[in-house]
Amino acid sequence: MKNSRNYTALLFLIFGLYVHAQDQVLSKEEAIDMVLENNLSIQVAKNAKLIGDNNANILNSGYLPTVTANAGGSIDKQNSEGVLANGDTRTAEGAETRRYNASVNVNYILFDGLGRHYNYKSFQERSQQTELQVRQTIENTILQLFSVYYEVARLTENTHTLEQAMEISKDRLKRAQYQFEFGQNTGLDVLNAEVDINTDSINLLNSRQLLRNTMRDLNLILNRDLTNLFVADTTVKFIPGLQMENMYNEAKMNNVRLQIVEKDINISDNNIKVARSGFLPTIGLTGTYGWNESNNNSPLAFTLQTTSTGVTGSINLSWNLFDGGSTITGIKNAKINFANQELAKKQIELEVERDIRNAWDSYSNALYVLEVQEKNLQTNQNNFNRTDERYKLGRVTSIEFRQAQLNLLNAELAKSQAKYNAKLAELFMLQVSGQLLNVEF
């Protein structure tokens, strides 16, 4: 019995130090702000969005001209001999010729069969799609966040419940010891009380450990120091007035998976038009400004230095009348891909309808279970209060008292579990309907 008291005192000392360290309350709003700012998956998705924006920029559209600059120079030394009209012969030993040139060239495609136009539209669709993918990542991360956050809250409540059970067991042990000292019961009641308090101590220890582990899981999602301790908000508020048909209609309009596949369909449609542009000609405009200079010290040369500058402009048309069938093949494949995207949309529509109906049933069932568990808790609380009074009067045995205590403990734990299950079911339903980011938590 002495060892049991020492073990219990040490256990509560550890718990007391741990609880004292938990002086920071992490609200739901703070957790959301933190995960939006620090979560690594969200940061990666946002970077992908930046790449999509860069690709959809006018600088990547093909609508701007290309400008190139060229420059060159050469030195030529030769020995030469020439015969004049009067028959005289002249020679040049090591005659040096220097040539220099520079030019600026501008090329612009006036018309390419509208392929550039539809490619640019596809880039814009992909940019919007990456924005939707960021939203999808945020929704999944927030749902993951609250799954862990509410698990921390549930374990916090459970730990508090187990602490209360521990206090009840300690009080029962003292009462059994007093009764044994005054000869009102046997030593068996004391031993039973010690066994029960040891069991409660182990349950409390395991709950504390699980709570610490879950806190680390939450810190990982928040991308902060894993050793940070905090207190979770155990308040749960449900959104009133939710209706199945409204949620289903919202899902058809706002579900992020449907919106992403809609972008895939638009991109596939643009790809068909890009492929068809191969049947049309390409018209281009070219302009050049050039400078050339040549120096020649040969006695046989008519001029010692020549310099020329000028502007050249041209327009050209290119029409691939037959490319071996690659354009036709590309159009066929683009149409098949478009058909596949439409099939994917139909599949996702069915999955979303299934998910929203399943989520609604789970949510409704979870609310009913919570209501039943609340009533069950009240019943067990009343039963325990009456049993406790009768136990103090010696009208029930310690075994009956312990059973009433366990019934109350289990009812409290079940009610806590039901509360957070219902809230998570509500959050999942909001995610499927596309409303998760539009509500207050």
Side-chain angles (χ1 to χ4, degrees):
M1 186 167 60
K2 182 178 180 181
N3 291 337
S4 174
R5 287 196 299 268
N6 291 339
Y7 172 76
T8 303
L10 178 61
L11 185 63
F12 273 93
L13 176 62
I14 295 174
F15 291 166
L17 292 175
Y18 179 73
V19 172
H20 179 70
Q22 298 185 75
D23 53 358
Q24 178 187 1
V25 177
L26 179 65
S27 68
K28 303 179 185 71
E29 293 76 13
E30 290 173 339
I32 293 175
D33 292 340
M34 201 174 298
V35 78
L36 291 178
E37 181 179 357
N38 299 333
N39 184 265
L40 298 179
S41 297
I42 293 178
Q43 291 182 28
V44 170
K46 288 181 177 179
N47 287 337
K49 172 65 171 63
L50 294 178
I51 294 175
D53 291 343
N54 292 336
N55 290 335
N57 192 276
I58 189 66
L59 296 175
N60 192 48
S61 65
Y63 279 107
L64 300 180
T66 59
V67 181
T68 59
N70 299 300
S74 66
I75 299 177
D76 183 15
K77 284 189 176 183
Q78 293 185 357
N79 298 324
S80 59
E81 180 179 305
V83 180
L84 301 180
N86 59 7
D88 294 339
T89 300
R90 291 184 182 182
T91 61
E93 297 290 339
E96 184 178 274
T97 302
R98 295 174 179 266
R99 298 182 180 89
Y100 305 98
N101 65 84
S103 65
V104 176
N105 305 303
V106 178
N107 294 280
Y108 185 68
I109 297 176
L110 297 175
F111 179 74
D112 67 345
L114 297 178
R116 171 179 56 185
H117 171 71
Y118 290 111
N119 271 327
Y120 185 50
K121 289 187 66 176
S122 291
F123 284 132
Q124 291 177 320
E125 293 287 347
R126 288 193 180 96
S127 176
Q128 295 170 12
Q129 189 179 60
T130 56
E131 185 174 356
L132 291 172
Q133 289 168 346
V134 171
R135 175 189 152 192
Q136 185 179 44
T137 301
I138 291 175
E139 286 183 356
N140 292 335
T141 304
I142 287 181
L143 192 63
Q144 180 188 20
L145 166 70
F146 278 108
S147 295
V148 181
Y149 184 92
Y150 283 132
E151 181 65 8
V152 172
R154 185 185 71 85
L155 291 171
T156 300
E157 286 189 350
N158 289 0
T159 301
H160 179 66
T161 300
L162 291 171
E163 288 172 349
Q164 292 178 329
M166 186 72 169
E167 292 298 325
I168 294 173
S169 296
K170 288 172 61 178
D171 183 68
R172 174 189 162 205
L173 176 60
K174 291 180 181 179
R175 188 181 304 156
Q177 289 172 342
Y178 291 149
Q179 290 176 345
F180 176 71
E181 290 174 0
F182 288 99
Q184 295 178 356
N185 62 17
T186 65
L188 182 60
D189 288 338
V190 177
L191 295 176
N192 287 336
E194 288 183 348
V195 170
D196 291 337
I197 200 173
N198 287 335
T199 299
D200 292 342
S201 299
I202 293 173
N203 291 337
L204 184 55
L205 180 64
N206 290 336
S207 181
R208 286 289 188 185
Q209 180 61 48
L210 188 56
L211 177 58
R212 289 194 294 270
N213 292 345
T214 310
M215 283 185 178
R216 295 186 189 102
D217 292 339
L218 187 60
N219 287 329
L220 179 63
I221 297 174
L222 298 176
N223 189 27
R224 66 176 189 169
D225 188 355
L226 299 181
T227 60
N228 280 348
L229 301 178
F230 56 90
V231 177
D233 182 6
T234 59
T235 304
V236 171
K237 296 180 180 179
F238 294 98
I239 300 176
L242 295 180
Q243 296 181 354
M244 171 60 203
E245 291 305 318
N246 290 341
M247 301 303 292
Y248 177 57
N249 291 334
E250 290 289 346
K252 289 192 293 184
M253 293 187 297
N254 300 318
N255 181 272
V256 69
R257 293 181 61 201
L258 287 176
Q259 294 180 346
I260 289 175
V261 76
E262 189 65 39
K263 295 300 178 183
D264 285 331
I265 291 177
N266 294 340
I267 292 171
S268 297
D269 183 54
N270 289 331
N271 289 341
I272 295 175
K273 296 173 181 177
V274 170
R276 286 175 176 167
S277 68
F279 288 135
L280 299 176
T282 299
I283 302 174
L285 181 66
T286 302
T288 303
Y289 175 81
W291 168 82
N292 293 275
E293 181 179 303
S294 176
N295 297 310
N296 191 342
N297 63 0
S298 172
L300 301 177
F302 291 102
T303 58
L304 297 180
Q305 179 177 331
T306 59
T307 302
S308 64
T309 58
V311 177
T312 303
S314 65
I315 187 169
N316 54 77
L317 182 146
S318 175
W319 199 338
N320 195 346
L321 298 178
F322 182 69
D323 60 0
S326 60
T327 299
I328 296 175
T329 302
I331 293 174
K332 289 181 178 179
N333 291 338
K335 288 181 177 179
I336 293 172
N337 186 62
F338 178 80
N340 285 339
Q341 294 300 335
E342 287 190 319
L343 293 174
K345 180 182 178 180
K346 291 180 180 178
Q347 179 67 27
I348 292 176
E349 285 176 342
L350 291 174
E351 291 176 357
V352 169
E353 181 179 0
R354 176 205 61 190
D355 291 343
I356 193 65
R357 295 190 184 279
N358 288 348
W360 178 263
D361 288 345
S362 298
Y363 173 65
S364 301
N365 183 70
L367 288 180
Y368 175 76
V369 171
L370 174 59
E371 181 181 358
V372 172
Q373 293 294 354
E374 288 175 341
K375 293 179 180 178
N376 186 50
L377 174 59
Q378 186 62 45
T379 300
N380 279 280
Q381 182 67 60
N382 294 335
N383 178 66
F384 175 77
N385 292 338
R386 289 193 295 268
T387 303
D388 184 41
E389 294 175 359
R390 298 181 66 189
Y391 179 68
K392 292 177 181 178
L393 297 175
R395 296 179 180 177
V396 297
T397 65
S398 61
I399 296 177
E400 291 173 320
F401 176 82
R402 177 62 176 178
Q403 187 59 53
Q405 180 190 9
L406 292 178
N407 290 342
L408 176 60
L409 175 62
N410 292 333
E412 290 176 331
L413 298 180
K415 183 259 181 181
S416 178
Q417 181 73 64
K419 178 175 69 172
Y420 294 110
N421 283 348
K423 187 59 182 178
L424 290 176
E426 180 186 79
L427 293 179
F428 179 72
M429 182 176 59
L430 291 172
Q431 182 197 26
V432 176
S433 66
Q435 300 298 307
L436 183 62
L437 304 182
N438 301 328
V439 298
E440 295 183 1
F441 298 95

